[in-house]
């Protein structure tokens, strides 16, 4: 072993140890590794930042922005709502939500797909009291399996495709992964529907903001515009949008006439509905019936705005005043949407209510005035819940953007990075997301991790380390049959990826798999597929893949919980995956 090879192995080993130690953040570890590689002469200084120019970084960032646009559209919630009452057991929730996450993960970055369904899973678990920890980890595992089905589902597939292009001049196509990935996903989901029972019973995840602050129902006033699809329909049909979690407690007609309607009242254009319910339930009614908050500025030049929840403090100038008397918008730049007061039902018009200490207000704040406007009014903001009330882009806009993106990618009409960047830009240009929301959707530590480790992992290949490992694996394979060599490579990738990011695992293992295939005189394609499946099947720790990390706090999981469910699933995929790969991709 040469000195450069020894240094490269020591560097990669040090990265693994630091990640397992978990005292430093993974992106900090990656940056330190990159600096060490430059200092040791393994990476030339002029190539140190080449990873930041890599297409993978652009694809990952853009995919997260596209996913955020879909999440904000409300289309996912609309699709799930009719099924909510039937999803009353962990098995049913895993089958439906896990299947949906897996399908979405095949079309977009798997962490983005998981993030879309995470709040829905938590809402269902609270509603049916089934325990969110029984569902979130299986959903995370389903997102990883779903990502195995297409080129864009997960970073390992993209990297493996690039390695094949460098070797043969032809990358893997969009759906080359489907036969193997689909079989693994179906079998894995069937296991998870039953296997969730392996998880501990005594796990309690982080509470949602609305539970943490014991938010009671809001009272709000919403205008039913003449263009709403609910004009001519009944009060009961509007309330059904909230599934019993919000109600129409009053109706204001002809500006001053106030009524207490029953379920059969027919609604007219221009009616003002007095709604009572928690913020997410109000959100569903407002979006479903195309309602508009009363009194919001209608000037299109008002600019971007946020919806925030804030508490009235004892020394707030709002205490003892009403929104109308105080002229809340002129004095502080705040528009009142709803009021919540513990133990009380609001009977006055919204802008006539006298604020009290402890009142919870739902406010619209211009982006450029947040948080200064709240500080001026001496209001304390609550944890952000990404609420949206009022006007927003129709759901077909982000859905159309994703559909066009998939068509372009599927028919290979433009480079992948350019296509996803264009989709992310379209989300902002069309108003689906604000520029700030787009930036907030990006997982910047993940991008730094990728960009820093790309040149670091490349040192194994540049120093000849990958050929050395391939030789050792070839010796270890000995008299093993060819299919067992595929299993060996997949198992090696599975063993490495929990401790080294899956993208970095592929950067290390893909050249090794291809080199091993060449030394054995076999077709490299099944070995590259084995690397992709192994690196994408990270079910043993919460640190190897960001999807596992994402559910750790909400599910209340501990490090040892992951192998309890992930161990048997990994063995299933190792056996089934090898068989599927050998059947689809000939070894010779």
């Amino acid at each position: 072993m040469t000195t450069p090879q020894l240094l490269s192995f020591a560097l990669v080993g040090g990265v693994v140890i630091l990640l397992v130690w978990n005292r430093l953040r993974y992106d900090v570890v990656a940056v330190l590794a990159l600096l060490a590689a430059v200092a040791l002469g393994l990476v030339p200084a002029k190539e140190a930042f080449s990873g930041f120019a890599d297409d993978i970084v652009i694809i990952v960032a853009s995919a997260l922005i596209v996913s955020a646009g879909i999440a904000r559209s409300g289309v996912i919630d609309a699709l799930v709502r009719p099924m909510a009452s039937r999803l009353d057991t962990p098995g049913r929730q895993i089958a439906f939500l896990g299947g949906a996450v897996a399908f979405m993960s095949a079309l977009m970055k798997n962490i983005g797909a998981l993030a879309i369904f995470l709040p829905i899973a938590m809402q269902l678990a609270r509603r049916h009291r089934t325990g969110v920890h029984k569902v979130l980890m299986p959903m995370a595992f389903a997102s990883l399996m779903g990502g195995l089905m297409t080129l864009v589902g997960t970073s390992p597939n993209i990297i493996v495709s690039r390695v094949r292009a460098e070797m043969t001049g032809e990358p893997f196509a969009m759906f080359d992964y489907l036969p193997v990935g689909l079989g693994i996903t179906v079998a894995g989901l069937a296991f998870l529907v039953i296997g969730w029972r392996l998880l501990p019973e005594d796990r309690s995840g982080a509470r949602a903001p609305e539970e943490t602050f014991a938010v009671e129902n809001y009272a709000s006033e919403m205008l039913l515009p003449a263009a709403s699809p609910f004009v001519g329909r009944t009060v009961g049909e509007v309330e059904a949008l909230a599934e019993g979690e919000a109600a129409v407690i009053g109706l204001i007609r002809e500006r001053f006439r106030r009524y207490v309607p029953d379920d059969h009242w027919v609604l007219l254009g221009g009616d003002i509905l007095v709604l009572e319910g928690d913020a997410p339930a109000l959100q569903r009614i407002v979006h479903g019936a195309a309602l508009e908050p009363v009194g919001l500025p209608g000037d299109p030049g008002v600019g971007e705005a946020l919806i925030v929840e804030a508490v009235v403090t004892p020394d707030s100038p709002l205490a003892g005043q009403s929104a109308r008397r105080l002229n809340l918008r002129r004095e502080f730049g705040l528009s009142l949407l709803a009021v919540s007061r513990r133990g009380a039902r609001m009977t006055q018009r919204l802008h006539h209510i006298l604020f009290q200490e402890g009142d919870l207000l739902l406010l619209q704040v211009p982006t450029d005035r947040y948080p200064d406007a709240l500080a001026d009014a001496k209001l304390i903001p609550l944890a952000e819940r990404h609420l949206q009330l009022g006007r927003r882009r129709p759901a077909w806009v982000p859905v159309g953007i994703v559909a066009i993106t998939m068509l372009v990618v599927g028919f290979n009409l433009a480079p992948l990075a350019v296509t996803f960047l264009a989709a992310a830009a379209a989300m902002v240009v069309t108003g689906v997301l604000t520029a700030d929301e787009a930036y907030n959707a990006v997982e910047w530590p993940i991008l730094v991790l990728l960009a820093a480790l790309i040149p670091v992992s490349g040192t194994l290949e540049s120093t000849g380390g990958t050929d050395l490992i391939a030789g050792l694996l070839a010796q270890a394979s000995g008299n093993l049959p060819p299919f067992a060599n595929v299993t060996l490579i997949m198992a090696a990738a599975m063993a490495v990826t929990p401790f080294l990011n899956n993208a970095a695992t592929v950067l290390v293992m893909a050249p090794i798999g291809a080199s091993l295939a060449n030394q054995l005189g076999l077709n490299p394609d099944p070995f590259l597929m084995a690397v992709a499946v192994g690196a994408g099947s990270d079910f043993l720790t919460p640190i190897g893949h960001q999807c596992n990390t994402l559910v750790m706090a909400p599910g209340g999981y501990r490090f040892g919980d992951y192998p309890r469910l992930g161990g048997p699933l990994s063995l299933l995929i190792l056996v089934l995956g090898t068989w599927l790969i050998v059947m689809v991709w000939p070894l010779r």
Side-chain angles (χ1 to χ4, degrees), residues 95-109:
F96 182 79
L97 295 178
V101 167
F103 174 76
M104 295 291 290
S105 295
L107 303 178
M108 62 175 63
K109 196 78 174 72

Side-chain angles (χ1 to χ4, degrees), residues 293-331:
V294 173
L296 282 194
D299 181 6
V302 168
E304 298 175 354
L306 301 173
I307 303 296
V308 299
E309 296 171 284
V311 177
V312 178
T313 62
D315 57 346
S316 170
L318 275 64
Q321 302 286 336
S322 68
R324 170 168 290 184
R325 185 188 303 173
L326 196 63
N327 204 331
L328 194 60
R329 188 184 306 152
R330 186 184 66 190
E331 292 296 324

Side-chain angles (χ1 to χ4, degrees), residues 61-76 104 107-108 116 304 388 392-406 419-439 441-442:
S62 301
L64 289 172
I65 293 173
V66 171
S67 298
I70 287 290
R72 292 296 179 92
S73 71
V75 66
I76 300 298
M104 295 291 290
L107 303 178
M108 62 175 63
I116 290 173
E304 298 175 354
Q388 287 184 316
R392 67 174 179 177
R393 292 296 177 185
W396 64 263
V397 175
V399 172
I401 291 172
V402 171
I404 293 172
T405 301
M406 291 302 103
T419 302
F420 268 81
L421 183 60
M427 290 288 182
V428 176
V429 171
T430 58
V432 175
L433 294 173
T434 67
D436 287 340
E437 289 171 338
Y439 281 114
V442 177

Side-chain angles (χ1 to χ4, degrees), residues 51-404:
F52 288 90
D54 197 284
D55 285 357
I56 296 171
V57 175
I58 301 300
I59 292 169
V60 171
S62 301
L64 289 172
I65 293 173
V66 171
S67 298
I70 287 290
R72 292 296 179 92
S73 71
V75 66
I76 300 298
D77 186 54
L79 292 175
V80 171
R81 192 183 304 124
M83 298 283 294
S85 61
R86 303 175 189 175
L87 304 177
D88 55 355
T89 66
R92 291 179 181 179
Q93 291 169 12
I94 292 169
F96 182 79
L97 295 178
V101 167
F103 174 76
M104 295 291 290
S105 295
L107 303 178
M108 62 175 63
K109 196 78 174 72
N110 45 22
I111 187 174
L114 178 62
I116 290 173
F117 284 90
L118 188 62
I120 298 174
M122 297 179 72
Q123 180 184 352
L124 285 173
R126 289 196 301 270
R127 176 176 177 176
H128 296 295
R129 304 181 186 277
T130 52
V132 71
H133 70 283
K134 299 174 183 177
V135 179
L136 293 190
M137 188 185 294
M139 279 179 59
F141 290 172
S143 73
L144 298 183
M145 293 186 294
L148 300 176
M149 292 193 286
T150 64
L151 174 67
V152 299
T154 187
S155 300
N157 290 357
I158 299 171
I159 302 172
V160 164
S161 177
R162 187 180 68 180
V163 171
R164 186 178 191 256
E166 293 172 351
M167 292 179 55
T168 67
E170 184 178 352
F172 284 122
M174 176 73 170
F175 298 107
D176 282 349
Y177 301 87
L178 186 60
V180 175
L182 181 60
I184 288 174
T185 301
V186 171
L189 273 174
F191 165 76
L192 292 173
V193 167
I194 302 172
W196 63 267
R197 294 174 174 84
L198 296 172
L199 292 170
E201 287 284 344
D202 59 341
R203 294 293 181 260
S204 178
R207 302 177 72 187
E210 59 268 33
E211 294 176 332
T212 303
F213 293 100
V215 175
E216 296 196 358
N217 286 344
Y218 280 106
S220 180
E221 294 178 359
M222 295 288 165
L223 172 69
L224 182 71
S228 169
F230 276 73
V231 172
R233 299 174 72 173
T234 65
V235 168
E237 290 177 288
V238 171
E239 293 180 334
L241 295 172
E243 301 170 343
E245 297 179 6
V248 179
I249 62 171
L251 188 149
I252 300 169
R253 184 169 288 173
E254 298 172 0
R255 296 186 63 185
F256 302 109
R257 295 181 180 274
R258 184 165 184 147
Y259 305 93
V260 179
D262 60 28
D263 291 350
H264 304 293
W265 271 54
V266 176
L267 299 173
L268 305 177
D271 284 348
I272 294 176
L273 307 184
V274 182
L275 304 176
E276 185 177 74
D278 69 1
L282 294 181
Q283 193 170 237
R284 291 197 295 273
I285 288 183
V286 171
H287 293 159
L291 304 180
E292 297 179 359
V294 173
L296 282 194
D299 181 6
V302 168
E304 298 175 354
L306 301 173
I307 303 296
V308 299
E309 296 171 284
V311 177
V312 178
T313 62
D315 57 346
S316 170
L318 275 64
Q321 302 286 336
S322 68
R324 170 168 290 184
R325 185 188 303 173
L326 196 63
N327 204 331
L328 194 60
R329 188 184 306 152
R330 186 184 66 190
E331 292 296 324
F332 298 100
L334 302 172
S335 297
L336 181 66
L337 300 177
V339 178
S340 176
R341 181 175 299 164
R342 181 179 295 276
R345 166 170 280 192
M346 302 299 181
T347 58
Q348 297 174 274
R349 291 295 305 271
L350 188 64
H351 287 76
H352 293 166
I353 294 173
L354 298 180
F355 300 126
Q356 296 180 8
E357 173 191 348
D359 282 354
L360 185 60
L361 311 182
L362 196 63
L363 303 162
Q364 185 184 66
V365 188
T367 303
D368 58 1
R369 290 276 293 135
Y370 180 80
D372 294 337
L374 295 184
D376 293 342
K378 296 185 179 180
L379 302 175
I380 300 177
L382 297 191
E384 185 179 0
R385 288 201 277 175
H386 302 293
L387 301 172
Q388 287 184 316
L389 295 178
R391 305 173 185 86
R392 67 174 179 177
R393 292 296 177 185
W396 64 263
V397 175
V399 172
I401 291 172
V402 171
I404 293 172

Side-chain angles (χ1 to χ4, degrees), residues 27 105-106 129 222 265 303 311 318 356 473 480 482 488 493 503-504 516 519-520 531 558:
D27 51 333
S105 295
R129 304 181 186 277
M222 295 288 165
W265 271 54
V311 177
L318 275 64
Q356 296 180 8
L473 286 175
L480 292 176
L488 182 65
L516 177 61
Q519 291 187 33
L520 298 175
V531 170
R558 300 172 186 171

